[in-house]
Amino acid sequence: MFSSYKSLSVTQRLSFSFLIVILIGTFLLSLPITHYAHAPETHLLDHLFNVVSMVCVTGLSVVPVADVYNGLGQVIIMCLMQIGGLGLVTLIAISMFALRKRIDISEQTLLQSALSRPDSGNLRHYLFHVYKFTFIIEIIAALVLMFDFIPRFGWGHGIFNSIFLAISAFCNAGFDNLGSESLKGFVLNPLVNLVIIGLIISGGLGFAVWIDLAHTVKRYFNQKPRHFSSAIRPLSNQTRLVLYTSGFILLSGTILTWLTEIGNTKTIGDLNPLQQLMVSLFQTVTMRTAGFASISYLDTRPATNILYMLQMLVGGAPGGTAGGIKVTTAAITYLLFKSELAGQSEVTFRNRIISSKTIQQTLTVLIFYFTILFTGYILLLQVEPGLDPMSLIFESISAIATVGVSMDLTPQLSTAGRIIIIVMMFVGRVGPITVLLSLLQRKRKDIHYAPTDISVG
């Protein structure tokens, strides 16, 4: 069996690793010892759905975690979310590095793909940075949450719930163990809101960006005299593009949410201006594929929900815990559009040319992503004729973008509907380009043909 696994392509092995975790997680969470004695009746498909959502760090759930899974079950869920956020491949690699074992070229390529790294240089050093950063952020966030949760839930549950929520938020998983209302009871709690916002952004920016920023801070404090401009000059264009695009989405999303909901008394209409902005910011951040909800999306206005769907589609940065088409894909699409309008023959960013290969990958991701999205949505319309079409497209985008927010629709899905959502969550997490290559990857030779002109538009 091991030799058969080694014969798979890199992308097939990446997809296979997620499937293995899903199967093991489903088996464990279907055992009675992981359930409360008074838990409502559940079926194997319920656990499979939840586990796919956990491993794919989505957040959609057919049964609330707090109602079904006991302490043991919730510990398993934390492990599944952590594995989903960091990836099974990276966990195996870090174990081998810790044991000082060598990994071959194919394993290095697999690890490079899992981390969205452009090259395999110094993977050991990079991987240890990733894990150190992850655990430091999660521990700090959990400690801060304990200031609110321990007085609220007691020492045992307060500590446990803080750790659970910190892992879930950093991994952009969207699960909580607080009940079916998610974070709606904390909508006006500044401490919980700001900690969750910080965790979601940290996980969604991508590890390469944070390592680049850490080097920038180190440069700033090591240089004499200290100059901010010279410290940030070595920042990579990848980091700059991620930061510019993420900042624009967060700022514009917060303002637009506030403008569309300011008169809605069911959401933020009755709050003071600071509270309105906090809720608007939280919702904009959680739409970056985190999946927590502090308001009901049945109460938000249609314009707001369309805005949220656009934000879900974009998602976070490559090499992080977020999903979506990625902010770099959205940014490159905009730069391509801008260059075409300006009549430029090349797509550029900060006086650097974006390669044609990157443009082709961007368009491939977009086409495949939207093909899966609309195929899944059409199938859901077919198998769920009694459900609201607007709620179904919201659910579909939430699944493919691994966001996890819902218009209270997930528990109402039929068996066929749940299977469709499961497939969309898996494809959304593993990545359109990875799934596409795992199905179609073959050795091929490049053949160059004579050019031709075709009119467009």
Side-chain angles (χ1 to χ4, degrees):
M1 181 175 177
F2 182 74
S3 60
S4 299
Y5 175 78
K6 296 282 283 185
S7 67
L8 296 175
S9 69
V10 168
T11 49
Q12 287 170 340
R13 287 160 66 181
L14 197 58
S15 304
F16 186 70
S17 68
F18 274 91
L19 286 173
I20 290 295
V21 176
I22 287 168
L23 291 175
I24 294 173
T26 302
F27 169 74
L28 293 175
L29 288 186
S30 64
L31 296 175
I33 58 171
T34 62
H35 303 170
Y36 287 118
H38 58 277
E41 183 181 359
T42 54
H43 305 281
L44 184 63
L45 184 62
D46 298 330
H47 302 298
L48 174 63
F49 187 101
N50 282 358
V51 170
V52 171
S53 188
M54 293 163 191
V55 175
C56 297
V57 288
T58 305
L60 293 173
S61 177
V62 290
V63 289
V65 168
D67 293 348
V68 175
Y69 305 108
N70 58 22
L72 175 61
Q74 292 181 28
V75 169
I76 294 172
I77 289 170
M78 284 192 283
C79 294
L80 292 172
M81 292 189 296
Q82 196 78 81
I83 291 172
L86 295 174
L88 177 64
V89 173
T90 64
L91 285 172
I92 295 172
I94 199 73
S95 301
M96 295 179 72
F97 284 142
L99 295 172
R100 301 186 181 279
K101 292 185 177 181
R102 294 178 60 86
I103 61 176
D104 59 31
I105 297 298
S106 66
E107 289 168 336
Q108 289 183 32
T109 306
L110 177 62
L111 182 58
Q112 177 188 333
S113 300
L115 293 169
S116 297
R117 289 272 289 171
D119 56 66
S120 58
N122 209 1
L123 281 174
R124 178 198 296 264
H125 182 70
Y126 179 82
L127 202 55
F128 275 103
H129 269 298
V130 166
Y131 277 79
K132 183 170 71 173
F133 172 78
T134 297
F135 294 128
I136 288 175
I137 292 295
E138 289 177 349
I139 289 169
I140 292 173
L143 290 173
V144 176
L145 286 173
M146 288 177 196
F147 283 99
D148 183 279
F149 281 10
I150 289 176
R152 188 184 300 269
F153 301 111
W155 280 96
H157 286 291
I159 294 172
F160 186 84
N161 291 352
S162 298
I163 297 171
F164 187 101
L165 203 58
I167 292 174
S168 181
F170 180 81
C171 292
N172 282 215
F175 280 92
D176 64 82
N177 57 349
L178 305 175
S180 59
E181 290 297 303
S182 187
L183 296 180
K184 294 173 186 175
F186 297 87
V187 64
L188 300 181
N189 187 312
L191 186 145
V192 174
N193 275 258
L194 293 176
V195 170
I196 299 301
I197 286 171
L199 285 165
I200 294 169
I201 292 175
S202 299
L205 281 180
F207 300 113
V209 171
W210 280 112
I211 291 173
D212 203 4
L213 290 174
H215 290 160
T216 300
V217 173
K218 189 180 294 183
R219 279 194 301 271
Y220 176 76
F221 285 104
N222 287 341
Q223 66 181 1
K224 292 180 180 179
R226 293 170 182 164
H227 294 290
F228 181 73
S229 58
S230 61
I232 67 170
R233 193 174 297 123
L235 278 176
S236 70
N237 281 331
Q238 166 90 7
T239 297
R240 292 175 186 270
L241 191 61
V242 168
L243 292 177
Y244 294 164
T245 311
S246 298
F248 172 78
I249 292 172
L250 292 176
L251 180 61
S252 61
T254 300
I255 294 172
L256 289 173
T257 297
W258 179 68
L259 290 174
T260 55
E261 290 295 315
I262 191 170
N264 187 354
T265 56
K266 293 182 179 179
T267 54
I268 66 173
D270 291 334
L271 307 179
N272 66 49
L274 282 177
Q275 292 172 335
Q276 290 175 348
L277 287 174
M278 183 177 69
V279 175
S280 299
L281 174 61
F282 184 89
Q283 291 306 312
T284 298
V285 171
T286 198
M287 289 301 164
R288 301 288 308 287
T289 79
F292 295 104
S294 61
I295 58 177
S296 172
Y297 304 111
L298 291 173
D299 295 333
T300 48
R301 290 172 171 168
T304 309
N305 285 333
I306 291 174
L307 172 66
Y308 287 161
M309 285 189 275
L310 293 174
Q311 292 171 349
M312 286 192 284
L313 285 170
V314 174
T321 59
I325 62 172
K326 308 300 184 186
V327 292
T328 47
T329 302
I332 291 171
T333 304
Y334 165 74
L335 293 173
L336 174 61
F337 178 71
K338 180 182 174 183
S339 68
E340 286 295 319
L341 288 181
Q344 298 172 343
S345 59
E346 296 169 326
V347 181
T348 61
F349 176 68
R350 297 189 74 249
N351 300 320
R352 293 292 185 271
I353 297 172
I354 297 175
S355 69
S356 58
K357 179 183 177 181
T358 302
I359 302 295
Q360 290 173 349
Q361 289 175 339
T362 297
L363 296 177
T364 301
V365 167
L366 288 173
I367 292 170
F368 187 74
Y369 193 93
F370 283 102
T371 299
I372 297 297
L373 170 60
F374 286 112
T375 300
Y377 178 52
I378 291 169
L379 290 174
L380 282 175
L381 289 173
Q382 187 67 26
V383 302
E384 306 287 1
L387 298 180
D388 176 45
M390 179 71 169
S391 299
L392 285 174
I393 188 63
F394 194 90
E395 191 91 1
S396 299
I397 294 174
S398 180
I400 192 72
T402 67
V403 180
V405 292
S406 175
M407 299 175 73
D408 298 337
L409 185 74
T410 314
Q412 302 177 46
L413 294 172
S414 64
T415 299
R418 294 181 184 189
I419 292 173
I420 293 168
I421 294 295
I422 286 173
V423 173
M424 294 178 74
M425 288 190 293
F426 181 79
V427 173
R429 178 54 182 148
V430 175
I433 197 69
T434 302
V435 173
L436 181 64
L437 289 176
S438 68
L439 295 174
L440 303 179
Q441 192 173 52
R442 294 181 178 89
K443 292 182 180 179
R444 63 173 185 261
K445 296 180 180 179
D446 288 331
I447 301 174
H448 296 280
Y449 296 101
T452 186
D453 293 324
I454 298 175
S455 298
V456 177

